[in-house]
Amino acid sequence: MAFIVPKFEIGEIDPVLAYAVEAVPRFCERIGCDNPRTIHNAFMAALVANANRIHETLTAAYVPRDPASRRLLTLMESVLVRELETDGHEHLLHALKFMEQGGNVLLVSNHTSGADTLVLDWVANKVASDAAHSWTYMAGHVVNLYLLPLVVAGGVNRLQIFSERYAGLVSNDLRQQMRAQNASALLYLRALAEGGGQCVVLYPEGGRGEGALKPGEPQTMQIAQLIARVSPEGLLVLPSYVASADILPVRRTQNEFNEFVEHARPGNATLRFGPGIPWQDLQPSGCMNPAALRSYLIGRVMMGIADLAPTLKARGPHNRKGSK
């Protein structure tokens, strides 16, 4: 039976809480966990925790993970990730070692569904003892402005940004506010990167590709350039490939991210890491104007991701079939 999810407004709380009373038990029953009461209680605790701070976080440049959401995210990972094909752990471990030596890492990934971060977080924490707990994600408006997706997204550290595409849909005043928040987020990112030892996660496609990589957004390379410019021990770009739509199918509706409670389910996922690429190795041999340089860089970055995608390019020796 299909349930209609109300179209909640930005920052709305009371209608979301009322909906959750009915929806969360359905969610727990559908995912079939051994102890549904544990998931139910954790979900409601995370909902209340984010409701209590949402009016502060809506316009924040940086939002640290919330403990209640962190607990829920871990529980959901253990239930929703059923079968996992994964490879390239050595590349992740090399990147973490680079961070220990003071370098910064920009982890770039394709984007297939709202469960991508859940899968990445699950694998990284298993491979390297909760390594992803300190990572920072460049997060867009769909998970920053609405209470329901924040229940899960609140489990990671977020730098909150708005895409130019989304900003183009709002009034001039609101667009200026979004651009000001983006500028604040980049200032915070600069401060993080100056200290070294950071991993920043970026989905450079600017949206979810369904079955194929999108070209990538050249503007996202400003993030990489900023990190590289201030990194005390250099920047390593770590490409990864994820497929998680079996866990959270894509629903192309305006209310999609509020609807995840009705659609998320235990499923299979894929995650592969490629060799880290030193930032200097991505640079062109000749001079380019800023726009051309960003286009060149996004092309190189997306090629690194495409090398890991089985349907897009022949898989090299570092992309051998992983274990399940």
Side-chain angles (χ1 to χ4, degrees):
M1 178 180 178
F3 293 90
I4 297 177
V5 181
K7 192 176 185 304
F8 303 115
E9 300 299 326
I10 291 174
E12 198 166 33
I13 295 175
D14 290 342
V16 179
L17 296 175
Y19 162 75
V21 170
E22 301 292 334
V24 174
R26 289 198 301 269
F27 170 74
C28 294
E29 181 180 358
R30 186 176 68 259
I31 64 177
C33 55
D34 293 334
N35 191 349
R37 178 54 56 181
T38 300
I39 295 282
H40 179 277
N41 290 345
F43 196 110
M44 298 307 293
L47 195 64
V48 171
N50 282 279
N52 287 338
R53 69 174 190 161
I54 191 169
H55 292 303
E56 297 177 3
T57 63
L58 278 176
T59 57
Y62 172 79
V63 182
R65 69 181 186 273
D66 174 78
S69 283
R70 179 65 253 179
R71 179 169 182 267
L72 174 64
L73 180 57
T74 301
L75 287 170
M76 289 180 63
E77 290 168 349
S78 66
V79 172
L80 294 179
V81 183
R82 185 172 55 193
E83 295 287 339
L84 179 66
E85 179 186 338
T86 182
D87 195 23
H89 293 177
E90 69 274 19
H91 304 309
L92 172 61
L93 292 172
H94 176 264
L96 295 175
K97 185 68 174 179
F98 182 73
M99 290 167 59
E100 290 177 4
Q101 297 168 349
N104 290 317
V105 170
L106 180 66
L107 193 158
V108 291
S109 178
N110 65 310
H111 199 11
T112 62
S113 92
D116 290 345
T117 294
L118 178 146
V119 172
L120 174 60
D121 182 81
W122 175 246
V123 172
N125 289 329
K126 290 295 184 184
V127 170
S129 185
D130 296 340
H133 285 196
S134 65
W135 294 0
T136 300
Y137 292 75
M138 306 301 299
H141 71 277
V142 290
V143 297
N144 292 332
L145 302 182
Y146 302 95
L147 181 55
L148 270 176
L150 274 175
V151 169
V152 180
V156 300
N157 305 312
R158 309 189 317 280
L159 277 166
Q160 302 193 127
I161 54 175
F162 297 94
S163 69
E164 279 298 313
R165 182 171 54 190
Y166 179 65
L169 301 176
V170 300
S171 68
N172 287 334
D173 287 346
L174 190 53
R175 185 179 306 120
Q176 292 308 312
Q177 293 176 33
M178 291 177 178
R179 288 174 175 168
Q181 184 167 328
N182 285 353
S184 296
L186 291 178
L187 284 174
Y188 200 101
L189 175 61
R190 179 189 179 98
L192 280 177
E194 285 176 336
Q198 300 293 318
C199 179
V200 177
V201 180
L202 174 68
Y203 298 106
E205 290 173 280
R208 287 156 297 148
E210 296 181 47
L213 278 176
K214 300 172 74 172
E217 292 289 340
Q219 290 298 103
T220 63
M221 289 299 94
Q222 294 183 74
I223 294 168
Q225 290 172 316
L226 184 155
I227 299 173
R229 192 161 54 244
V230 301
S231 292
E233 300 296 335
L235 172 64
L236 189 72
V237 177
L238 180 66
S240 68
Y241 169 83
V242 64
S244 69
D246 193 38
I247 295 172
L248 184 58
V250 174
R251 310 276 178 169
R252 292 290 186 182
T253 70
Q254 292 184 344
N255 205 29
E256 178 183 352
F257 281 80
N258 282 318
E259 296 173 350
F260 85 92
V261 180
E262 305 293 351
H263 302 306
R265 63 197 184 191
N268 304 331
T270 298
L271 179 63
R272 303 188 186 100
F273 298 100
I277 310 168
W279 178 249
Q280 60 269 23
D281 291 353
L282 289 174
Q283 306 307 305
S285 56
C287 295
M288 292 183 175
N289 65 52
L293 178 58
R294 287 193 293 270
S295 294
Y296 175 86
L297 291 172
I298 193 63
R300 294 292 308 276
V301 166
M302 297 311 296
M303 284 175 59
I305 298 171
D307 283 340
L308 304 172
T311 60
L312 298 178
K313 281 199 173 185
R315 295 165 71 185
H318 61 282
N319 299 322
R320 63 191 180 276
K321 186 176 181 180
S323 60
K324 289 189 176 184

